[in-house]
Amino acid sequence: MTLKPIHIIGGGMAGSEAAWQIASAGVPVILHEMRGTRGTEAHQTDQLAELVCSNSFRSNDHTANAVGVLHEEMRRADGLIICTARDHQVPAGSALAVDREGFAEAVTAKLEAHPLVTIVREEIAGLPPEDWDSVIVATGPLTSIALAEAIRAHTGENDLAFFDAIAPIVYVETVDMSKAWRQSRYDKAGPGGDTAAYINCPMTEEEYNRFLDALLAAPKTEFKDWEKNTPYFEGCLPIEVMAERGRETLRFGPMKPIGLTNAHNPTVKAHAVVQLRQDNALGTLWNMVGFQTKLKHGAQTDVFRMIPGLETAEFARLGGIHRNTFLNSPKLLDRQLRMKTIPRLRFAGQVTGVEGYVESAAMGLLAGRLAAAERLGRKLEAPPPTTAMGALVNHITGGHLAAGQTFQPMNVNFGLFPDIEDYSKTGADGRRLKGKDKGKAKKMAQAIRALEDFDAWLAGEAVVAAE
């Protein structure tokens, strides 16, 4: 039997993952990616799955961390993105961070080599043709204006958008290691056993206050009139926006000094610490953790060189800012990730209202499996909401926390999971758990339940395929 191809618009995290899942199910797929013919404000290459604002997939702990659970679910489902990320991992403490270039090149090569994947470099400048009877729109945070306007015109919904900011990247040889030192917070080992995955630049109280004053006074990027009312995503605030919220905000955020001991002066506690995280496999590039910014480029070099250890730093890339667009998914999408009024269109990735590389890829994985099952004449439901993937679907399609009038992007977190009562509230010594210990025990129980239920979902999917 000759199967009609499924079309995917967008070759980022979600689109690449969806293409892999569809092709792995034996269904042909055509992946349409405009980069190569037209660029975006944030991307620098035409590689598929290019990482833009960070190289981190965040926590890799699947025992008590929601994003780690999502990692593990994707791994068990043969996820292209998560498996390739682990192949191109660089040290980052307990987080999963990757060599950007090697990762994107590997994803591109795998898809180019798959016999059922066709990659077409073109922009889809409106709703896809009627004869494309199964389409996944995975255009990400930088959906082309023409396509976004076509969707908006059809739905009648006002654009919902926020800004995503990009952190600067430093050449490691230009960091003054007589002032900075290598250490992970609390010496916590990452997947590779490295307890010194970050470069730390300490500040005294006086240095911190001078830096803060300069940061607040520095010239910022001016937004166009149509952008000015666009809110920021709280999980990716520009450094200067955080600083505007109070002089101590940064010290309790990305510049917190806890869990770190200055190797050059162990007896003196830093007032604040700026951390750098490895950005490529060679270890030559390091990004400034939490330093997303809308400062003008000239101001960035002046202000960031005030940080001890970065006085002579050279920047491989300065920070920037871009607009991010997403659907009012609880009103527009069903649990199959289809547009209710045009069911031949599925959506995946950040455009659905999930936030983060891992979450975007997860929705691509699911959209790909749902579309492939439909093409093969099978009925496949989304995973249950007790799983990380199912909790995200629940959020974006109107379940649990999301409401059509107040919908905002969300990273995966245990607050999206159904509550759980069936877990031990006592420790090994028989004493009743309290505070953080009780919370950790609950998260561990939710993680165990999530992976058990996800395995059951995968087994059920295999049964459907066999039938």
Side-chain angles (χ1 to χ4, degrees), residues 268-428:
V268 177
K269 184 72 174 177
H271 187 72
V273 173
V274 174
Q275 289 196 304
L276 309 181
R277 181 178 58 225
Q278 187 173 332
D279 199 76
N280 66 342
L282 293 175
T284 56
L285 302 177
W286 290 63
N287 67 61
M288 299 176 67
V289 178
F291 268 63
Q292 306 83 226
T293 183
K294 64 188 180 92
L295 293 181
K296 290 187 175 180
H297 280 186
Q300 288 184 43
T301 54
D302 292 340
V303 173
F304 296 153
R305 284 175 182 156
M306 295 177 68
I307 298 168
L310 300 186
E311 294 93 340
T312 58
E314 296 295 332
F315 296 89
R317 185 189 73 187
L318 290 167
I321 195 161
H322 63 273
R323 189 178 183 216
N324 193 339
T325 303
F326 60 94
L327 297 172
N328 192 348
S329 294
K331 292 180 68 175
L332 301 177
L333 302 184
D334 65 17
R335 283 187 59 81
Q336 289 278 315
L337 302 180
R338 296 175 300 206
M339 182 172 279
K340 294 173 183 177
T341 55
I342 315 178
R344 69 187 178 93
L345 298 186
R346 275 186 172 82
F347 287 81
Q350 282 187 248
V351 74
T352 66
V354 297
E355 176 60 26
Y357 292 142
V358 182
E359 291 88 339
S360 296
M363 292 302 95
L365 185 153
L366 185 56
R369 285 183 172 237
L370 293 171
E374 184 178 72
R375 176 65 88 216
L376 294 167
R378 302 168 185 157
K379 180 63 175 176
L380 178 64
E381 300 294 341
T386 50
T387 67
M389 210 173 291
L392 284 172
V393 173
N394 225 30
H395 172 67
I396 65 176
T397 60
H400 197 43
L401 297 179
Q405 299 303 315
T406 60
F407 182 61
Q408 285 291 310
M410 185 74 74
N411 292 117
V412 67
N413 62 82
F414 282 119
L416 298 179
F417 290 54
D419 201 6
I420 187 169
E421 290 297 330
D422 185 20
Y423 70 97
S424 176
K425 297 181 176 64
T426 59

Side-chain angles (χ1 to χ4, degrees), residues 84-424:
T84 307
R86 292 182 179 184
D87 290 341
H88 292 269
Q89 182 175 319
V90 296
S94 59
L96 173 60
V98 301
D99 177 335
R100 293 173 193 261
E101 293 183 5
F103 168 79
E105 287 171 359
V107 171
T108 303
K110 288 177 182 179
L111 289 171
E112 286 178 340
H114 200 294
L116 291 178
V117 177
T118 301
I119 301 171
V120 180
R121 299 286 181 169
E122 63 178 355
E123 179 182 358
I124 306 301
L127 291 179
E130 290 286 345
D131 62 340
W132 294 8
D133 64 342
S134 182
V135 182
I136 296 174
V137 180
T139 45
L142 297 172
T143 299
S144 74
I145 293 174
L147 178 56
E149 181 59 28
I151 294 169
R152 189 207 63 77
H154 174 80
T155 63
E157 290 289 318
N158 291 325
D159 241 2
L160 296 176
F162 59 89
F163 283 114
D164 246 348
I166 302 171
I169 295 177
V170 176
Y171 290 105
V172 71
E173 71 268 18
T174 67
V175 177
D176 184 353
M177 295 304 292
S178 69
K179 297 179 179 179
W181 76 96
R182 293 280 298 270
Q183 183 189 8
S184 297
R185 203 175 300 279
Y186 298 111
D187 298 309
K188 189 174 181 179
D194 188 359
T195 60
Y198 292 80
I199 292 175
N200 301 281
C201 301
M203 284 185 174
T204 64
E205 184 174 2
E206 182 181 359
E207 289 167 336
Y208 174 78
N209 284 321
R210 282 203 306 266
F211 169 79
L212 199 64
D213 290 340
L215 181 67
L216 292 169
K220 319 301 192 289
T221 301
E222 294 294 330
F223 299 137
K224 298 175 183 177
D225 288 341
W226 56 269
E227 296 177 314
K228 288 181 179 177
N229 293 324
T230 305
Y232 293 105
F233 171 58
E234 288 291 319
C236 197
L237 287 174
I239 191 78
E240 60 278 359
V241 171
M242 285 187 274
E244 289 168 356
R245 296 184 172 185
R247 296 190 71 84
E248 294 294 286
T249 303
L250 294 178
R251 290 189 62 243
F252 288 89
M255 295 175 66
K256 57 182 178 286
I258 61 171
L260 298 168
T261 302
N262 189 337
H264 305 297
N265 197 353
T267 61
V268 177
K269 184 72 174 177
H271 187 72
V273 173
V274 174
Q275 289 196 304
L276 309 181
R277 181 178 58 225
Q278 187 173 332
D279 199 76
N280 66 342
L282 293 175
T284 56
L285 302 177
W286 290 63
N287 67 61
M288 299 176 67
V289 178
F291 268 63
Q292 306 83 226
T293 183
K294 64 188 180 92
L295 293 181
K296 290 187 175 180
H297 280 186
Q300 288 184 43
T301 54
D302 292 340
V303 173
F304 296 153
R305 284 175 182 156
M306 295 177 68
I307 298 168
L310 300 186
E311 294 93 340
T312 58
E314 296 295 332
F315 296 89
R317 185 189 73 187
L318 290 167
I321 195 161
H322 63 273
R323 189 178 183 216
N324 193 339
T325 303
F326 60 94
L327 297 172
N328 192 348
S329 294
K331 292 180 68 175
L332 301 177
L333 302 184
D334 65 17
R335 283 187 59 81
Q336 289 278 315
L337 302 180
R338 296 175 300 206
M339 182 172 279
K340 294 173 183 177
T341 55
I342 315 178
R344 69 187 178 93
L345 298 186
R346 275 186 172 82
F347 287 81
Q350 282 187 248
V351 74
T352 66
V354 297
E355 176 60 26
Y357 292 142
V358 182
E359 291 88 339
S360 296
M363 292 302 95
L365 185 153
L366 185 56
R369 285 183 172 237
L370 293 171
E374 184 178 72
R375 176 65 88 216
L376 294 167
R378 302 168 185 157
K379 180 63 175 176
L380 178 64
E381 300 294 341
T386 50
T387 67
M389 210 173 291
L392 284 172
V393 173
N394 225 30
H395 172 67
I396 65 176
T397 60
H400 197 43
L401 297 179
Q405 299 303 315
T406 60
F407 182 61
Q408 285 291 310
M410 185 74 74
N411 292 117
V412 67
N413 62 82
F414 282 119
L416 298 179
F417 290 54
D419 201 6
I420 187 169
E421 290 297 330
D422 185 20
Y423 70 97
S424 176

Side-chain angles (χ1 to χ4, degrees), residues 8-12 16 30-40 43-50 104-105 107-109 111-112 117-125 132:
I8 298 175
I9 304 173
S16 297
I30 301 175
L31 179 59
H32 305 264
E33 170 54 53
M34 73 177 184
R35 285 179 297 116
T37 61
R38 192 170 82 76
T40 75
H43 292 91
Q44 295 184 320
T45 76
D46 63 358
Q47 297 284 359
L48 302 177
E50 180 187 341
E105 287 171 359
V107 171
T108 303
L111 289 171
E112 286 178 340
V117 177
T118 301
I119 301 171
V120 180
R121 299 286 181 169
E122 63 178 355
E123 179 182 358
I124 306 301
W132 294 8

